[in-house]
Amino acid sequence: MVKLAGVLALAACVLVGCHQDPTGLSTVSADISGGTSATSKGTGTATLSWQAPTTNTDGAALTDLAGYRIYYGMNADDLTQTVQLTSVGLQTYVIEDLGSGAWYFAIKAVTGTGVESALSDVVSKTIG
């Protein structure tokens, strides 16, 4: 019975990533600036910036940050488009060719093993 409990605890640890889920982005809103002008095609840009997380959910130092994943779309509850960023030093990104209307953006940190943090707050920008 003790052996089974140990196996289940190990399996649970693997499934939740052993606290390797980077934090920080879930409490820091991405900022959006610039890109208010639209071209003749009705496209615009949004500049996103964020702060890099420094700890795991257990408070330990984050040592395997590998990049970020930006999620965006025209529905705050359905961010269907993504951009994968593999540079940990990058904390600003410009999304181009956005059509007219309201756009919503959020970001996750990604570790070297592919574990993603919680989604940041969703921010929005209207392209006119």
Side-chain angles (χ1 to χ4, degrees):
M1 189 65 150
V2 172
K3 193 174 189 180
L4 178 60
V7 170
L8 292 176
L10 177 61
C13 186
V14 169
L15 291 174
V16 299
C18 294
H19 299 294
Q20 292 301 306
D21 186 24
T23 62
L25 294 180
S26 62
T27 58
V28 177
S29 295
D31 295 318
I32 298 180
S33 62
T36 55
S37 61
T39 67
S40 59
K41 292 182 182 179
T43 59
T45 62
T47 301
L48 301 168
S49 60
W50 59 91
Q51 252 184 320
T54 58
T55 60
N56 292 310
T57 54
D58 64 358
L62 176 60
T63 59
D64 64 343
L65 180 64
Y68 306 95
R69 190 166 290 132
I70 297 172
Y71 293 83
Y72 68 103
M74 296 190 81
N75 181 331
D77 297 320
D78 190 22
L79 304 174
T80 59
Q81 299 180 58
T82 61
V83 176
Q84 178 70 39
L85 305 174
T86 57
S87 174
V88 296
L90 187 67
Q91 295 173 330
T92 300
Y93 188 81
V94 178
I95 297 179
E96 300 177 335
D97 298 324
L98 297 172
S100 297
W103 286 88
Y104 300 89
F105 307 87
I107 188 168
K108 290 183 178 186
V110 182
T111 67
T113 59
V115 176
E116 293 185 348
S117 70
L119 195 64
S120 71
D121 293 336
V122 175
V123 293
S124 66
K125 177 176 180 123
T126 300
I127 305 294

